[in-house]
Each structure stands twice: as structure tokens, then as C-alpha cells.
Amino acid sequence: MSPIKIAIIGLGYVGLPLARLFAEQYPVIGFDIDESRVKELINGTDSTLEVSNELLMEVLSDTPEMSKGLYCSCLITDLTDCNYYIVTVPTPIDKMNRPDLEPLYRSSEMVAQALQKGDIVIYESTVYPGVTEDECVPILEKASGLLFNKDFYVGYSPERINPGDKKHTIERILKVTSGSTPETEKKVDNLYKSVITAGTYLAPSIKVAEAAKVIENSQRDINIAFVNELAKIFNLMNIDTYEVLKAAGTKWNFLPFKPGLVGGHCIGVDPYYLAQKAQEYGYHPEIILAGRRLNDSMGQHIASEVVKLMVQRDINIKGSKVLIAGITFKENCTDVRNTKVVDVVSALSEYDAAVDICDPWAAPSAVQEEYGLITSRNFPSNKIFDAVIVTVAHQQFLDFDFGSLLSQNGVLYDVKGIMNNRVDGRL
């Protein structure tokens, strides 16, 4: 058997940490269609901050011919010597909340150009059950001219990356694996087992592994939706939601979910993938979609709550100055994909409020490209606001004096509950 050589397709939040980890033991070709992304990685810099520059430099190689290490490339021809292809491209939703599998399809077509007999293609992208075998495999067959489970094989191992989390890193999270044949599943499982210190769990089929991934985040989405609904109810009752959760949390089996904006490329997306497949089978998933609808409504709700507080203080909403602190989808992370903070911005803009956005983690160019919004990494100097909304619990925000940015009767609204009782309102 040929020595293992791995190709990682997609060098984003999922692909790069995986490529770095495998490169400690194997030769790895990191492939991405974004030339600027490949260039920055070759220079030893990861703008997502998921892999430190020091760790990246330790594994980087300047040639695709190496015994171990990571070589980054935009050329499909650099993939031809690989025998494991791991696809880690994003699987987003469109404006109608329908699964967008186009990145997965294009990646499969590219892999097929390099595919040879005996190779294994492993998908990590989040999908609904059946995508790997029913949709990706036919693309691989057609574009390569090879036969599935005779000439090439596939596996599925759902990504378990938690962006911004330096404690639960990729090697410390147990990995689910699967394969299209008994021999393939063993190879896939052994490959991941060789680098994942937390171990692996071999699922009985690819569809089970796909389903396991999509329900992980759907379950979290539903639980957060429940707590968000509680927050709406308790706000009407003038009861502090966080104090209620602290009291309820004294019971050993109470689940510690908190209210907030639920976006990102996992929790805010995966439920739609499961719902899409369920509807194809004639079943309308009521709880899953109800939870998503409630979570999708939170941006408008937060904006409305802030406006109410401003009105109570006789602040003229039209032309008021509002600061949004945080634009990424979660704390201590650079990822702005599918962030629900933009819903708060949009709702406030409908009131003709003048909105400034500050986030020390988000690249202004990324926010501009994704949403057409102007942001800054630093708080405005010599500017006072009628309202400040802290939307993301970044480390830099925990001890910051937001009161110094407020007018005398300004409103401080704490979405994430990070400032205890020093605020005028929170979920």
C-alpha cells in the first residue's frame, strides 16, 4: 500500500486546523481556490486566528514532496499524488434558508480530476443524511470515470471545530467516523485515530454519521430558542432572566443554555438542512423550524427593546447615535458568517438611527464584503452615544467601561449578560 498522503480541500476555520494537525505526522497538501488565502498561509499567517503563526510555521513546507508537513496550493495538479481527500468546504444556506450545496459540488468535481484507483474521499462538511452517497458520489464517478466502491471509496467524518475555543481544540474533541465499505471505514477511523487524542467513534453507516452531525446543532438551536422565549416572557414580567437561570441551574440536571443571538455557520444553519430533508419525505418539522423562527426573530426583538428604553428616557430615536459592540457570530472569534448582529443593525436603521459598529476581532474588509457595513476594530474617540448594545461577549469587553461612551441618559443594553447589574437592559 502506498504511503498516506492527504489533501485537505478548503483551508478555512475547519480545514486549516485539520491540515495542521495531520501535517505533524503526514505529508499534507492544503488546497483552496482563494489565492489570497493560500498566499497568507504560505507566509505563515492565519487571519482566522484558529492556528497560531508559530504552529503554522512549524509544519509549513515549501515543496509538495515531503515526508510530513503542510504545503498550501491553488493548483489541482498538486493533488495527484494524494490518496486521501478530505473536503472541508462550507455548506451555507441561501436567502430563502435553503441548503446551498454548490461549494460541495464544485469541490467534488475538483477532487475527481485528481482521483485515482484506491483513493478515499472523506467529507466533513455539514449536510443532511444522504448527500455524500446520493449527491457527491455521482459527481465523483462522472468527473473521474471511476466506479464507486470498486475504484474509489468515500467516508464521512463531521467537523467538530469550535471557532475561538482554545480549550476544546480539534484533537481534544472525539471524532465520529464512517466509510462506504467495512475496509474503508476501518481506514478512515484509523486515519483520524492517529491524530485525535480524544479518540474516535465509528458510526455504522455514512448516513448515521451525517445525521448525527446535523442534529447536534439542531438540538442546541432548539434549547437556545426555549431560553430566548423565556427571556421575552420574563422581560414582560420585569424578571431578570439570568437570575432565573442561575436559580434553576442549582438542579443537577438543568441544562445551562443562555439567551442570545444564534447565528454562525453551524447552529444557525444546520436545522435548515435537517428540515429540508424531512420535507422531502413529506414531514413538516414543527419544533425544529419553530425554534429557528424564534431565534431568527431575536435581532428585531433586541432592537425593539433598546428603542423602548430610549423612548422612556425621552431620547429622539430618529438620528440617535447607537454603538453596536461586536459583529462576529460568537465571542473571541473572527468569523462573521451568518452573524445575527446584522439583524439588530438592520432593525435600528429602520428607525433612522445612526449606527456605529466596533469589533476588535472582525476584519472590517470581511464585514464590508459580506454585508456592506462599515466597522472599526477600535471604539470611536471623542464620540458619545445615546445607546450602546453589547452583542458579543469578547474578552476585551468584559471589563470595559461602556458607560464612558454614553450620554447622560443613554441606554446600555447587554445582550450576553456579561456585565451583571451595570446595565439598563438585557435579555
Side-chain angles (χ1 to χ4, degrees):
M1 179 181 176
S2 302
I4 291 174
K5 189 172 185 180
I6 303 167
I8 305 292
I9 313 301
L11 295 175
Y13 288 87
V14 175
L16 182 64
L18 186 66
R20 192 279 308 169
L21 182 62
F22 273 124
E24 292 182 353
Q25 294 190 37
Y26 305 103
V28 177
I29 305 296
F31 176 87
D32 202 292
I33 60 174
D34 186 344
E35 293 185 10
S36 62
R37 173 63 170 165
V38 170
K39 184 176 180 179
E40 75 168 19
L41 294 176
I42 290 175
N43 291 328
T45 301
D46 172 27
S47 59
T48 71
L49 305 182
E50 290 303 304
V51 176
S52 69
N53 294 348
E54 292 76 18
L55 283 177
L56 184 57
M57 289 300 295
E58 286 179 8
V59 297
L60 279 179
S61 171
D62 58 3
T63 174
E65 305 300 329
M66 66 283 194
S67 58
K68 65 178 181 179
L70 172 63
Y71 180 79
C72 300
S73 174
C74 291
L75 302 176
I76 295 177
T77 52
D78 285 330
L79 306 179
T80 53
D81 291 336
C82 297
N83 43 30
Y84 283 88
Y85 296 85
I86 303 179
V87 179
T88 61
V89 298
T91 43
I93 52 177
D94 62 19
K95 293 182 179 180
M96 300 300 292
N97 294 325
R98 295 172 301 198
D100 179 9
L101 296 175
E102 192 60 31
L104 204 60
Y105 296 155
R106 293 200 308 268
S107 298
S108 297
E109 290 172 351
M110 286 186 288
V111 167
Q113 295 179 45
L115 204 59
Q116 299 182 38
K117 287 188 176 183
D119 290 350
I120 296 176
V121 184
I122 305 168
Y123 291 90
E124 289 210 1
S125 306
T126 300
V127 294
Y128 51 78
V131 167
T132 300
E133 294 161 294
D134 301 338
E135 301 194 43
C136 294
V137 164
I139 294 173
L140 293 171
E141 285 189 312
K142 182 179 180 180
S144 69
L146 301 175
L147 295 177
F148 175 49
N149 278 345
K150 179 180 179 183
D151 299 324
F152 73 92
Y153 309 86
V154 300
Y156 184 80
S157 180
E159 58 94 353
R160 279 184 167 171
I161 295 288
N162 190 25
D165 189 340
K166 302 308 178 185
K167 179 180 179 182
H168 301 98
T169 53
I170 182 171
E171 66 270 24
R172 296 172 182 167
I173 304 174
L174 192 141
K175 202 81 161 65
V176 175
T177 63
S178 64
S180 57
T181 67
E183 184 180 0
T184 302
E185 65 183 19
K186 290 178 183 177
K187 289 182 178 179
V188 172
D189 191 62
N190 286 335
L191 181 68
Y192 283 102
K193 193 177 292 182
S194 67
V195 295
I196 303 294
T197 55
T200 60
Y201 175 86
L202 180 58
S205 70
I206 287 176
K207 286 185 174 65
V208 166
E210 291 170 326
K213 170 57 181 177
V214 83
I215 72 165
E216 288 176 15
N217 289 318
S218 297
Q219 182 189 61
R220 287 181 56 79
D221 194 45
I222 292 167
N223 277 288
I224 297 172
F226 171 63
V227 177
N228 274 337
E229 188 163 60
L230 292 180
K232 289 184 176 183
I233 294 170
F234 293 144
N235 279 348
L236 293 172
M237 297 178 174
N238 198 28
I239 299 173
D240 189 321
T241 303
Y242 283 88
E243 291 300 327
V244 174
L245 294 175
K246 282 167 59 178
T250 59
K251 191 167 186 283
W252 78 91
N253 59 353
F254 183 81
L255 301 178
F257 288 93
K258 295 181 179 180
L261 296 165
V262 190
H265 59 285
C266 289
I267 300 179
V269 170
D270 294 3
Y272 289 121
Y273 273 76
L274 184 56
Q276 168 81 12
K277 197 61 178 177
Q279 289 169 343
E280 289 179 12
Y281 281 81
Y283 181 83
H284 181 75
E286 297 182 19
I287 294 176
I288 294 171
L289 291 179
R292 193 85 292 275
R293 283 194 300 271
L294 196 144
N295 284 338
D296 280 343
S297 74
M298 293 307 292
Q300 179 69 53
H301 173 73
I302 290 167
S304 297
E305 289 295 300
V306 172
V307 167
K308 288 177 185 177
L309 290 168
M310 293 171 71
V311 169
Q312 290 170 8
R313 299 187 179 186
D314 296 322
I315 298 173
N316 187 8
I317 307 303
K318 186 173 182 178
S320 62
K321 297 179 177 64
V322 180
L323 174 66
I324 302 289
I327 189 70
T328 61
F329 89 92
K330 64 174 290 188
E331 66 274 7
N332 307 324
C333 168
T334 64
D335 198 347
V336 298
R337 290 176 296 170
N338 195 36
T339 174
K340 295 303 178 181
V341 178
V342 297
D343 294 346
V344 182
V345 177
S346 177
L348 289 170
S349 298
E350 292 177 2
Y351 290 99
D352 289 332
V355 180
D356 282 34
I357 305 170
C358 172
D359 193 309
W361 286 80
S365 59
V367 181
Q368 172 74 37
E369 181 179 353
E370 190 82 12
Y371 304 107
L373 296 173
I374 304 299
T375 63
S376 172
R377 290 186 184 272
N378 302 307
F379 290 117
S381 58
N382 302 319
K383 192 170 185 179
I384 298 299
F385 295 90
D386 299 302
V388 173
I389 310 174
V390 183
T391 52
V392 186
H394 288 316
Q395 186 68 35
Q396 293 93 327
F397 294 169
L398 301 184
D399 297 315
F400 186 81
D401 180 17
F402 287 100
S404 64
L405 301 175
L406 283 171
S407 60
Q408 186 173 0
N409 63 336
V411 171
L412 177 57
Y413 195 92
D414 179 14
V415 172
K416 297 294 290 184
I418 62 175
M419 290 178 280
N420 299 317
N421 296 317
R422 295 179 288 138
V423 295
D424 302 299
R426 62 183 183 184
L427 286 177

